[in-house]
Amino acid sequence: MKIKLIMFREDGARRDFTLASGITTIGRKQDCTIRIPLSVVSRRHAEMSLDGDTLTIRDLGAANGTFLNNQRVEEEVLESGDQIGIGPVVFTVQIDGVPSEDEIIRVRTRVGNERSGKRGAAVATSKHVYMSDEDIDPIAALEALASSADQTAIDPDDEFDLKD
């Protein structure tokens, strides 16, 4: 079973994150599998579990919640085309190519700093992205991680930012 989380930037650019079997953690903590370094994202926000043919998402007590198709959830089985909201980031679930490229609803992640109106920038250094809470762009952070030289747990043909 091939699972992808698909995200679209505000400018419409697409990013794919391929999940491996087992547990994938999402949060702002450095040891999370998918790291979103934003203060609105909990340190360990949610986890996804791929066990055989069942993909599940579970909220890990995140203060701002984990959303599935615009509904706050504690734990749910995911299906093709579901949309997961973690802070301002929205992922569409693609399972074995379903929904197809043409059927994917392009939900754009919108990021801005409410206090200053500025857009943040991320700087990647080896494994991590360092950003201040004043200037945050999680999409740039995810892309920086995905393009970093640290590919120890990554299949070189896949596009995602998974770490050991």
Side-chain angles (χ1 to χ4, degrees):
M1 195 152 122
K2 186 172 182 177
I3 309 292
K4 285 186 184 179
L5 297 181
I6 299 168
M7 170 190 78
F8 291 93
R9 291 176 38 137
E10 188 172 355
D11 65 4
R14 174 183 163 152
R15 295 294 298 159
D16 294 1
F17 301 88
T18 302
L19 302 185
S21 295
I23 303 291
T24 298
T25 55
I26 303 170
R28 76 170 192 264
K29 198 171 175 186
Q30 290 182 356
D31 66 349
C32 288
T33 314
I34 297 177
R35 183 168 181 247
I36 305 172
L38 295 173
S39 59
V40 297
V41 175
S42 293
R43 287 180 197 97
R44 290 182 41 85
H45 198 99
E47 71 179 18
M48 298 179 73
S49 172
L50 179 57
D51 184 19
D53 289 338
T54 304
L55 179 63
T56 305
I57 188 159
R58 182 169 62 101
D59 182 85
L60 297 175
N64 292 318
T66 299
F67 291 81
L68 176 61
N69 301 323
N70 296 318
Q71 299 292 316
R72 191 170 182 157
V73 297
E74 295 298 320
E75 185 169 352
E76 293 289 330
V77 173
L78 297 171
E79 298 178 6
S80 298
D82 280 344
Q83 293 177 342
I84 300 167
I86 306 284
V89 180
V90 178
F91 296 102
T92 299
V93 177
Q94 184 183 52
I95 301 173
D96 293 330
V98 176
S100 70
E101 303 302 316
D102 296 335
E103 297 171 322
I104 294 174
I105 298 170
R106 296 177 185 267
V107 177
R108 292 182 178 155
T109 297
R110 302 181 70 85
V111 179
N113 187 310
E114 292 82 29
R115 290 177 282 182
S116 68
K118 297 190 303 184
R119 299 187 78 63
V123 179
T125 60
S126 68
K127 291 185 176 182
H128 307 293
V129 173
Y130 299 93
M131 301 180 352
S132 72
D133 283 338
E134 292 291 320
D135 300 305
I136 297 172
D137 182 352
I139 307 311
L142 289 170
E143 288 177 340
L145 284 170
S147 65
S148 75
D150 179 32
Q151 301 288 316
T152 56
I154 297 176
D155 179 340
D157 294 330
D158 292 337
E159 293 181 83
F160 55 117
D161 62 46
L162 301 179
K163 302 181 292 184
D164 289 28

